[in-house]
Amino acid sequence: MKRLIVGENITKAFGAGVEKRKVLDGISVEINAGEFVAVMGPSGSGKSTLLFALSGMDKVDSGYITFDGVDLSRLSDNALADIRRRKMGFVFQQPTLLKSLNLLDNIMLPAMRDSGEKAAQLAAKARVLMQRTDILELEKRDVTQASGGQLQRVGICRALMNDPQIIFGDEPTGALNSTAASEIMALLSEIHRTGTTILLVTHDVKVAAQTERVLYLFDGKIAGEYRPGLANLHHDDLKAHEEGLTAWLTEMRF
Amino acid sequence: MYFRTIRNDILRSKAITLTTMLFITTAAMLVALAVILVVNLTGAIDTLMTRAQTPHFMQMHAGALDMTRLTTFAGKHKDVADFQVMEFLNMDGAQIVFPGGSLAGSVQDNGFSVQSEHFDFLLDLDGNIIQAADGELYVPISYMQDDTTSIGDRVEVAGKALVVTGFLRDSQMNSLLSSSKRFLVSHNDFAALKDSGSMEYLIEFRLHDLDALGTFETAYAAAELEAAGPTLTYPLFKMINAISDGMMIALLLLVSLLIVAIAFLCIRFTLLAKIEDEYREIGAMKAIGLRVSDIKQIYLAKYAALAAAGSVLGLALSFVFRNALLANIWLHMGESANAAQAPLLGGLGVLLLFGGVLVYVNGVLEQFRRISPAEAIRFGIVQGKTGGIHHFNLSQNRLLGVNVFLGAKDVLTRKRLYVTMLTVLVLAAFISILPQNLYTTIASKDFSTYMGIGDSDLRIDLQQMNNIAVKATDIAQALENDKDISRYVVLTTYTFRVRMPDGTQRRIPVELGDHTVFPVAYAAGRAPTAADEIALSVLHANELGRQVGDSLILLVGGQEQQFTVCGLYSDVTNGGKTAKAAFSDATADIVWSVISAELVDETRVDEKAAEYATKFAFAKVTGIEGYIVQTFGSTIRAVAQAARVASVVAVLITILITVLFMRMLIVKDRYSIAVMKIFGFTNTDIKMQYLSRAVFVLLIGVSLGTLLANTLGETLVGAAISFFGAASFKFTINPFFAYLLSPLLMAGAVLVATGGGTLDAGQIIITGIIKE
Ligand SMILES: Nc1ncnc2c1ncn2[C@@H]1O[C@H](COP(=O)(O)OP(=O)(O)OP(=O)(O)O)[C@@H](O)[C@H]1O
Ligand SMILES: [Mg+2]
């Protein structure tokens, strides 16, 4: 299987002097192309930091990370930006959208940067994605005129605009109620089925149970790994996966 | 708690707070200076005119004088308090030789007098009446200022040696705008010089009550007394004394107005940015039940502290600089009697400014009322500002690159913020272009046509002499035969009497001849062409209560004749009260004659002037440019200096405000920048977006500013100038500066400032902002 991301012995610390704290303490991970991986762990354990490091948004202190065979530490800011724009998609807990643009424009924005295609073609593509995520009727609205769940879907559409190899999600369902959360998860699962790699930070057992592999982060280290089971799940199996995962997590915490 | 909030707020936005204070300080300083100058100027003029006992009414007269008749008239008229006739010995400038050269090139009528006995005294620089001893010469103060001479110099006047013993203040002829200058000598020296010049008389009256001036003027005219020369009155002397410093005060006030406007814009910008930033907090404060007035108080207190500090500092600075600006007034007019009140009134002016700032801040803060707590907490951004630009969408964008699009869109979305920067640019364009236009205008030959001087190359004056008509014909003949002269015209001024509605008569000087050859600029109507048409100077028309189309009755050759007023023009020459007509009448009294000529090759003006000056020694020949330079020279130089300073100031203001603005935007936009960086926008992309915003604002601001400065500015300056007697006004614009250099300078300033201000725009640490 092709390895999309390889992180080896990554360390990262914040602060200086006595204040200095290692947030990532020698982490090694591999994410294979097409995988659906969840990262769990207590608050402050370094999950977001890891995600930022693996996506090249943040530099690490030592260790190295390759994405699609390219060593990220050797790349300039601009080259990293190019990779993020062309090969990665991001979804966050809060809808990270530009307030000055309407929803359709927000979705088109990263794709417009490489304007090989005409605006009309990109708009058409964005509309297809909006149709798929059931928010087409909102295209002209402002960021303030949509619900949290709808905004998350806008974020997902934007992440999909450049047909990324991987989508990074940092608690994309964290701010949603359970109905909205399961809708978003269903959407992500569907995207995963089309072959896109997904790396998801989450607190939610229900969410993590729907992935293929769960990494448990503790004190800057990967404390354990768990495979909930089969890739393509049926709804009835979900309960079983959840129970298995919960048991494993309880074990991990003590 | 308020105090802590204010302190934190100021510390967090040091640069803009400091800048705002800087502008308030400068504005306070300028306002205080203007007030101090006004108080000192009016006071000093009063002191000077009281000490010197300036005449209330003065008739200049060249020719025979009937002293008995005048004395009888003065004795019989109930309003006359005192009367005298002073002798003014007019001397050709070439006859007055200073160590540095003669006054041959001077356009002034230089002449000699002895100290007067009753009133109209010539004063020394301490304000005392000068008593000149034999061999001593007292020189008008303006020759000290232009370094013509200094104390101790030996001067030769018509071959007689005199020593410059001191300088004198002349309450009626101090200003360069009054065309005569009086030198003071002893009685003996005066007698010795008598044959070397032509005698002119100053027939002077002091009245018991200045209010009776109008009736007295009428009575004097009706009595048909000596009147071969201009008539001048107390109010006119006062105005002439006030003009040059008055201009400076007007300029100070204008600049302080612009600075106040910029200070207000800084405040507005900071507050709007604040409201955008702290929308959520302000909403939350409202939600937990704080009143709007409570919240406003926090910010009001901040600006009150700021404005108070700026005002005090400005006032203090005005005391530092005032002596430099007062020097001119002190030199020309001496100390002011009410100088003590000046700082007090200056303080009052600053207090007014302080109040103005608070009222303005209060007004801007009213926007707090519009914040809905519910929306603020739910969305955390200012609502309802995208109005009208919903159609400006990325999905429909075909023309612009995405960075340019985002820049333009941002400007359109946050109009109110950018309008502030736009206004600063417009004001800066004003500051840069207006003084420059004023300079090119005053310095241009056209300008003289607004001042009552026709646009010719050469001007030959025949004044204070006999047989003016014959001499004028001689010169005209010579001009006619000179193939270097393309056109010329003889304009001769005669005195006529005009019949007033109440039946009384008044003498007015009327310039006869062809007024279409070198026309002056008409504020209304046109030059007289038909024999029954007359044009009046604006001051004159106001006094006679006439407008274009009205009629006027003149006594011509003893007959009443009706004229139609066909035009109004501005005039600063000869006391400003003149008339022009096209009829002819050989019987009237000639006052003077002016011959204007145009050269085929205008570069040969100096050569031709010299030629005619030698050929006709009795005439005063000047190139028009020289005439203008000598009349307005010091004003032109001052304005040129001011224009250069203004351009530099405009560029500095542009850079300062742009840098501040961009820094502030970057801080405000860090979230958007982070979002864009996550999705793969490079640092260069981000910088491009800021540059596009700047260019977008720049294009609009500079073109609007340039356009307004060149049009609206004309109206503004015209209004200011009309105050001094010039009625219609048009800018002479130097297109290279106004439409190319100045916009380019400002564009350069904005681009450099944007580049510098956004150097680290992309360096934002994304992960610090997008933290889950
Ligand atoms: N810029 C920073 N400076 C200093 N410390 C930081 C910084 N960013 C993160 N940290 C610290 O690093 C640790 C890990 O942070 P991180 O955001 O990765 O945690 P997390 O696992 O995502 O937590 P959560 O589940 O609450 O989102 C925390 O203790 C945090 O305080
Ligand atoms: Mg986190």
Side-chain angles (χ1 to χ4, degrees):
Chain A
M1 200 176 269
K2 188 185 160 198
R3 292 182 305 177
L4 186 60
I5 300 180
V6 178
E8 244 180 61
N9 213 9
I10 309 167
T11 66
K12 180 163 181 75
F14 286 114
V18 281
E19 300 270 293
K20 192 160 171 159
R21 272 199 56 227
K22 270 196 177 168
V23 176
L24 300 182
D25 192 6
I27 287 186
S28 299
V29 281
E30 287 182 10
I31 311 288
N32 295 323
E35 245 192 322
F36 194 166
V37 181
V39 180
M40 298 190 79
S43 185
S45 56
K47 303 184 293 293
S48 297
T49 310
L50 178 65
L51 186 126
F52 290 141
L54 295 180
S55 58
M57 253 197 272
D58 216 355
K59 302 250 180 248
V60 292
D61 295 341
S62 68
Y64 83 105
I65 300 163
T66 59
F67 178 83
D68 209 6
V70 181
D71 185 354
L72 293 185
S73 66
R74 288 163 183 269
L75 296 181
S76 69
D77 263 15
N78 285 351
L80 286 170
D82 290 343
I83 290 188
R84 281 202 301 276
R85 191 172 66 250
R86 295 185 184 134
K87 301 186 172 170
M88 300 175 178
F90 295 88
V91 189
F92 298 98
Q93 181 174 11
Q94 298 295 332
T96 24
L97 302 170
L98 294 190
K99 288 150 189 164
S100 59
L101 301 181
N102 69 21
L103 298 183
L104 178 64
D105 282 1
N106 259 299
I107 293 172
M108 287 171 60
L109 183 65
M112 279 296 282
R113 173 59 177 70
D114 307 291
S115 39
E117 292 171 79
K118 292 227 165 59
Q121 278 168 283
L122 287 175
K125 181 169 181 185
R127 286 202 186 90
V128 170
L129 290 170
M130 289 178 96
Q131 175 84 61
R132 202 168 127 197
T133 52
D134 206 19
I135 49 169
L136 187 57
E137 68 277 15
L138 307 180
E139 62 166 280
K140 290 265 155 59
R141 296 219 193 149
D142 279 343
V143 174
T144 51
Q145 296 166 330
S147 73
Q150 287 166 335
L151 291 179
Q152 276 317 57
R153 282 183 253 179
V154 171
I156 292 172
C157 290
R158 178 177 58 184
L160 291 173
M161 260 314 268
N162 277 334
D163 303 316
Q165 299 182 13
I166 180 167
I167 290 181
F168 292 95
D170 195 350
E171 299 186 40
T173 58
L176 303 178
N177 63 34
S178 58
T179 324
S182 44
E183 278 168 19
I184 294 296
M185 269 319 284
L187 202 58
L188 288 174
S189 302
E190 188 193 321
I191 292 162
H192 170 239
R193 276 196 293 278
T194 64
T196 311
T197 317
I198 298 181
L199 180 68
L200 210 62
V201 170
T202 183
H203 275 132
D204 192 337
V205 180
K206 259 188 181 158
V207 169
Q210 299 176 54
T211 65
E212 295 168 332
R213 184 154 67 107
V214 179
L215 301 174
Y216 193 80
L217 219 59
F218 189 80
D219 238 2
K221 292 189 168 71
I222 293 183
E225 199 179 303
Y226 180 81
R227 290 178 183 272
L230 303 159
N232 297 315
L233 295 159
H234 295 293
H235 193 72
D236 5 335
D237 301 330
L238 202 56
K239 210 79 201 154
H241 288 314
E242 258 178 65
E243 276 160 15
L245 181 58
T246 312
W248 178 71
L249 285 173
T250 321
E251 198 178 305
M252 291 304 300
R253 276 178 198 134
F254 297 101
Chain B
M1 181 196 106
Y2 284 169
F3 179 73
R4 204 152 12 103
T5 317
I6 295 169
R7 202 192 50 196
N8 289 343
D9 195 58
I10 289 178
L11 285 180
R12 245 186 311 167
S13 47
K14 278 190 237 61
I16 187 89
T17 307
L18 215 68
T19 311
T20 310
M21 197 175 114
L22 188 85
F23 282 120
I24 294 178
T25 304
T26 316
M29 180 183 83
L30 293 175
V31 166
L33 281 176
V35 173
I36 290 173
L37 278 179
V38 169
V39 174
N40 273 286
L41 179 65
T42 52
I45 290 176
D46 279 342
T47 310
L48 174 71
M49 292 178 81
T50 311
R51 285 239 186 127
Q53 302 238 30
T54 310
H56 291 153
F57 175 89
M58 181 176 89
Q59 174 67 56
M60 294 176 92
H61 178 75
L65 187 84
D66 188 341
M67 194 63 192
T68 346
R69 197 173 53 154
L70 278 168
T71 317
T72 323
F73 168 80
K76 275 204 305 214
H77 203 285
K78 61 173 175 26
D79 290 321
V80 174
D82 211 343
F83 155 73
Q84 72 180 12
V85 174
M86 280 186 81
E87 288 182 320
F88 178 67
L89 183 65
N90 217 304
M91 191 142 341
D92 189 46
Q95 300 251 54
I96 308 171
V97 187
F98 288 101
S102 81
L103 289 180
S106 168
V107 294
Q108 299 282 349
D109 291 327
N110 295 293
F112 294 79
S113 283
V114 296
Q115 185 60 278
S116 133
E117 277 159 26
H118 300 269
F119 57 95
D120 190 17
F121 301 114
L122 300 174
L123 307 175
D124 67 15
L125 299 191
D126 296 321
N128 301 316
I129 298 167
I130 306 171
Q131 298 302 340
D134 291 348
E136 292 184 349
L137 176 69
Y138 288 83
V139 180
I141 191 94
S142 56
Y143 289 122
M144 169 179 163
Q145 240 189 344
D146 65 8
D147 286 328
T148 303
T149 183
S150 49
I151 288 179
D153 279 354
R154 288 176 57 80
V155 186
E156 224 171 82
V157 180
K160 184 175 172 50
L162 294 169
V163 174
V164 176
T165 317
F167 292 95
L168 64 83
R169 293 193 186 124
D170 184 336
S171 67
Q172 37 163 302
M173 300 178 183
N174 254 350
S175 164
L176 274 174
L177 282 173
S178 85
S179 57
S180 304
K181 291 283 164 282
R182 280 194 283 190
F183 290 73
L184 181 69
V185 291
S186 72
H187 282 272
N188 289 333
D189 291 335
F190 188 79
L193 288 173
K194 222 163 193 167
D195 293 331
S196 315
S198 60
M199 194 62 79
E200 196 176 336
Y201 299 98
L202 311 179
I203 305 166
E204 304 179 334
F205 296 86
R206 292 274 297 182
L207 306 179
H208 289 296
D209 182 2
L210 197 55
D211 290 340
L213 186 62
T215 32
F216 179 80
E217 272 188 273
T218 322
Y220 187 89
E224 298 197 25
L225 297 164
E226 283 73 0
T231 312
L232 298 157
T233 57
Y234 196 84
L236 198 70
F237 292 136
K238 210 166 179 168
M239 193 188 95
I240 288 178
N241 278 328
I243 275 187
S244 66
D245 290 294
M247 281 227 181
M248 178 150 84
I249 292 170
L251 202 70
L252 275 181
L253 282 175
L254 191 77
V255 174
S256 57
L257 213 71
L258 290 174
I259 300 278
V260 170
I262 291 177
F264 278 8
L265 287 171
C266 283
I267 293 174
R268 183 187 138 88
F269 172 63
T270 325
L271 279 178
L272 287 184
K274 193 99 219 145
I275 293 173
E276 233 183 65
D277 276 356
E278 301 197 343
Y279 188 70
R280 202 190 284 261
E281 283 79 351
I282 296 166
M285 284 199 255
K286 281 178 93 166
I288 61 168
L290 280 181
R291 293 190 188 172
V292 171
S293 54
D294 296 337
I295 306 167
K296 274 171 70 175
Q297 255 173 24
I298 301 173
Y299 292 94
L300 260 180
K302 170 187 164 185
Y303 282 96
L306 207 72
S311 298
V312 169
L313 205 65
L315 197 62
L317 282 175
S318 76
F319 291 140
V320 175
F321 290 120
R322 69 177 170 165
N323 286 7
L325 291 183
L326 283 172
N328 192 50
I329 295 177
W330 281 335
L331 181 65
H332 278 96
M333 285 163 254
E335 302 270 350
S336 155
N338 49 9
Q341 300 161 15
L344 213 73
L345 290 170
L348 208 69
V350 171
L351 207 64
L352 232 69
L353 176 74
F354 175 76
V357 171
L358 290 196
V359 169
Y360 183 77
V361 171
N362 195 46
V364 178
L365 289 176
E366 273 305 293
Q367 307 205 355
F368 281 175
R369 290 198 194 282
R370 288 203 227 130
I371 296 175
S372 139
E375 283 187 0
I377 289 163
R378 190 159 136 68
F379 302 113
I381 54 168
V382 188
Q383 292 282 296
K385 295 210 313 179
T386 43
I389 58 145
H390 276 295
H391 303 297
F392 195 55
N393 291 331
L394 207 47
S395 48
Q396 282 144 21
N397 164 49
R398 281 183 183 75
L399 295 170
L400 306 174
V402 68
N403 290 321
V404 177
F405 171 87
L406 286 174
K409 170 118 188 175
D410 190 65
V411 172
L412 291 177
T413 313
R414 297 148 105 187
K415 279 191 215 80
R416 276 142 46 100
L417 266 188
Y418 286 97
V419 158
T420 313
M421 169 157 184
L422 191 91
T423 319
V424 172
L425 286 181
V426 170
L427 287 180
F430 252 82
I431 295 178
S432 159
I433 294 174
L434 212 62
Q436 184 68 31
N437 277 353
L438 192 64
Y439 164 69
T440 43
T441 305
I442 299 181
S444 85
K445 245 165 59 165
D446 286 346
F447 181 65
S448 53
T449 64
Y450 298 104
M451 293 294 170
I453 306 162
D455 180 9
S456 60
D457 294 325
L458 214 58
R459 176 184 165 109
I460 306 174
D461 280 271
L462 299 174
Q463 277 185 39
Q464 285 122 0
M465 60 185 72
N466 301 320
N467 298 326
I468 286 181
V470 178
K471 287 171 179 162
T473 320
D474 286 351
I475 296 177
Q477 197 59 48
L479 289 169
E480 182 71 50
N481 296 332
D482 188 338
K483 55 181 187 317
D484 292 335
I485 303 291
S486 54
R487 293 187 297 162
Y488 73 92
V489 68
V490 181
L491 296 174
T492 307
T493 300
Y494 300 84
T495 1
F496 288 96
R497 276 175 297 156
V498 60
R499 217 193 62 200
M500 303 299 289
D502 59 4
T504 58
Q505 293 179 358
R506 182 185 285 202
R507 301 180 81 108
I508 67 169
V510 183
E511 190 175 45
L512 300 183
D514 186 347
H515 296 284
T516 58
V517 182
F518 302 114
V520 299
Y522 284 82
R526 52 170 176 79
T529 46
D532 63 346
E533 287 178 335
I534 190 164
L536 299 174
S537 71
V538 173
L539 284 178
H540 215 155
N542 287 344
E543 197 176 277
L544 296 173
R546 292 298 200 285
Q547 284 173 354
V548 172
D550 291 352
S551 64
L552 191 75
I553 293 171
L554 284 190
L555 284 153
V556 180
Q559 300 283 312
E560 285 200 354
Q561 202 173 313
Q562 180 160 335
F563 289 85
T564 311
V565 177
C566 63
L568 301 180
Y569 57 92
S570 343
D571 196 351
V572 293
T573 63
N574 302 307
K577 290 178 193 168
T578 56
K580 296 178 193 293
F583 67 94
S584 57
D585 175 22
T587 64
D589 296 334
I590 293 189
V591 192
W592 65 74
S593 202
V594 178
I595 301 152
S596 306
E598 187 183 70
L599 301 183
V600 176
D601 175 8
E602 64 173 282
T603 56
R604 295 177 55 205
V605 169
D606 292 340
E607 177 195 331
K608 274 287 161 187
E611 179 188 327
Y612 277 85
T614 338
K615 206 186 287 178
F616 303 100
F618 52 84
K620 191 166 77 182
V621 186
T622 29
I624 274 289
E625 307 249 5
Y627 182 85
I628 295 168
V629 165
Q630 289 199 31
T631 315
F632 304 112
S634 58
T635 315
I636 293 177
R637 274 192 302 277
V639 174
Q641 179 77 25
R644 275 192 295 274
V645 172
S647 294
V648 174
V649 168
V651 167
L652 288 182
I653 289 180
T654 308
I655 291 182
L656 182 69
I657 296 289
T658 309
V659 169
L660 279 175
F661 195 83
M662 289 300 159
R663 303 294 316 162
M664 196 123 170
L665 279 181
I666 289 174
V667 174
K668 286 167 63 56
D669 289 351
R670 51 190 190 277
Y671 180 81
S672 310
I673 295 174
V675 171
M676 282 188 281
K677 286 197 71 177
I678 291 172
F679 291 100
F681 279 78
T682 61
N683 295 352
T684 326
D685 288 329
I686 310 281
K687 279 199 73 164
M688 272 304 297
Q689 290 175 19
Y690 279 91
L691 269 179
S692 321
R693 298 177 188 186
V695 168
F696 203 72
V697 179
L698 177 82
L699 282 180
I700 304 176
V702 170
S703 13
L704 201 69
T706 306
L707 208 72
L708 282 178
N710 287 330
T711 53
L712 183 72
E714 190 171 77
T715 320
L716 272 177
V717 176
I721 288 203
S722 72
F723 183 69
F724 297 112
S728 65
F729 180 81
K730 272 214 153 40
F731 267 148
T732 306
I733 295 169
N734 172 0
F736 171 72
F737 180 87
Y739 292 113
L740 195 69
L741 192 62
S742 161
L744 276 183
L745 262 178
M746 290 190 52
V750 169
L751 292 182
V752 166
T754 308
T758 58
L759 262 185
D760 54 355
Q763 251 74 55
I764 280 187
I765 298 156
I766 328 171
T767 53
I769 291 160
I770 319 289
K771 259 283 143 72
E772 301 299 299

